[in-house]
Amino acid sequence: MTSLALLQLVSPALPVGAFSYSEGLEVLVQTNGLNDEQAVQDWLTAELTRGALRLEVAALPKLRQQLELWVHQGDVQGRDGVENLDGWLLATREASELRAQQRQMGQSLVQLLNDLGHPLPEPVRLSWPAAWAWAASAMKIPVLDMLEGYLYGWVANQLSAAVRLVPLGPTRAQVLQQRLLPLVQKQALQLRDMDPQQMWSAGVGASLTQLAHAELYSRLFRS
């Protein structure tokens, strides 16, 4: 059943609004910085290996541990730890649009979990990584699967945006998704035991494109 629960979390039908965000891809396409399949693959590879996404993935096990302390043992220090780490992750994102995305998707997932019978002890504004950690815990998804699912879902959402922005058909997007699976697995294994607050991000290009999104003349996406 845990594998089926993970399929539910990475499904494009999950009602969290991920389809409405490009995380900077729209800027790259409009400025002709990303215009073919190889460029999309290079961009995704760079973010998977050097981007701020890695910090979020490395934080998931600790977020989950602290959530479980709070929910199952009533330890308010666990709640405080979640809020502190969650806030730190948000602060690593320079673009206000991306921070708004993380908050909106996180709150949507928390509401969905409430409806599925997995409420938190009290209302807390979780952003996307912390909400994902709570979803994985509530659905008893193993830690490594949780990390792989987070990375897989991010790649899938980026490819969904790329299909609408780049000359990239859905079949080629699926080829790219499969091509990146070994890297997703490798990164999940590598990040499982790392401390996110001792890590670095070299996703400067991604940050700049995300900051530039608000200045686009016309936009399809919210980030």
Side-chain angles (χ1 to χ4, degrees):
M1 289 297 291
T2 56
S3 60
L4 293 179
L6 183 59
L7 287 175
Q8 183 176 6
L9 282 180
V10 299
S11 169
L14 196 73
V16 295
F19 66 90
S20 62
Y21 301 104
S22 81
E23 299 191 23
L25 280 182
E26 190 167 16
V27 172
L28 287 170
V29 172
Q30 290 201 26
T31 57
N32 205 35
L34 190 151
N35 52 24
D36 59 27
E37 179 180 328
Q38 186 59 52
V40 173
Q41 180 176 334
D42 292 345
W43 177 259
L44 296 178
T45 299
E47 286 303 292
L48 285 168
T49 54
R50 299 189 293 275
L53 173 72
R54 297 169 65 253
L55 277 63
E56 295 174 359
V57 175
L60 291 175
K62 189 171 184 180
L63 286 167
R64 177 173 179 162
Q65 181 184 45
Q66 292 172 330
L67 280 160
E68 289 172 350
L69 281 173
W70 175 37
V71 174
H72 301 308
Q73 299 182 30
D75 188 343
V76 294
Q77 290 186 343
R79 180 199 63 196
D80 294 344
V82 169
E83 291 183 316
N84 289 337
L85 183 53
D86 199 33
W88 179 82
L89 287 172
L90 276 176
T92 66
R93 297 293 196 165
E94 292 89 347
S96 60
E97 288 180 332
L98 196 59
R99 294 194 296 272
Q101 170 189 335
Q102 297 285 69
R103 292 189 185 99
Q104 180 271 301
M105 289 176 58
Q107 287 304 106
S108 294
L109 183 54
V110 168
Q111 182 57 57
L112 174 62
L113 290 167
N114 286 342
D115 295 340
L116 293 174
H118 304 295
L120 290 166
E122 60 185 80
V124 174
R125 291 179 59 84
L126 301 181
S127 68
W128 180 243
W132 179 272
W134 171 232
S137 174
M139 296 182 174
K140 297 180 171 56
I141 294 169
V143 170
L144 185 59
D145 290 351
M146 171 181 69
L147 272 59
E148 289 181 350
Y150 192 92
L151 289 167
Y152 179 93
W154 179 83
V155 171
N157 287 333
Q158 288 283 279
L159 287 173
S160 174
V163 166
R164 286 171 279 170
L165 291 167
V166 184
L168 180 73
T171 299
R172 296 311 302 173
Q174 288 300 305
V175 170
L176 274 182
Q177 182 94 47
Q178 185 180 53
R179 196 179 293 162
L180 290 168
L181 289 181
L183 181 56
V184 164
Q185 293 173 316
K186 178 182 177 181
Q187 289 299 103
L189 276 171
Q190 184 181 82
L191 296 168
R192 179 173 54 181
D193 298 317
M194 295 183 70
D195 181 353
Q197 293 177 310
Q198 298 299 317
M199 293 169 58
W200 52 267
S201 167
V204 177
S207 297
L208 290 173
T209 60
Q210 291 155 10
L211 287 166
H213 189 264
E215 300 174 3
L216 290 178
Y217 177 75
S218 61
R219 297 181 290 176
L220 292 175
F221 293 87
R222 295 173 64 183
S223 72

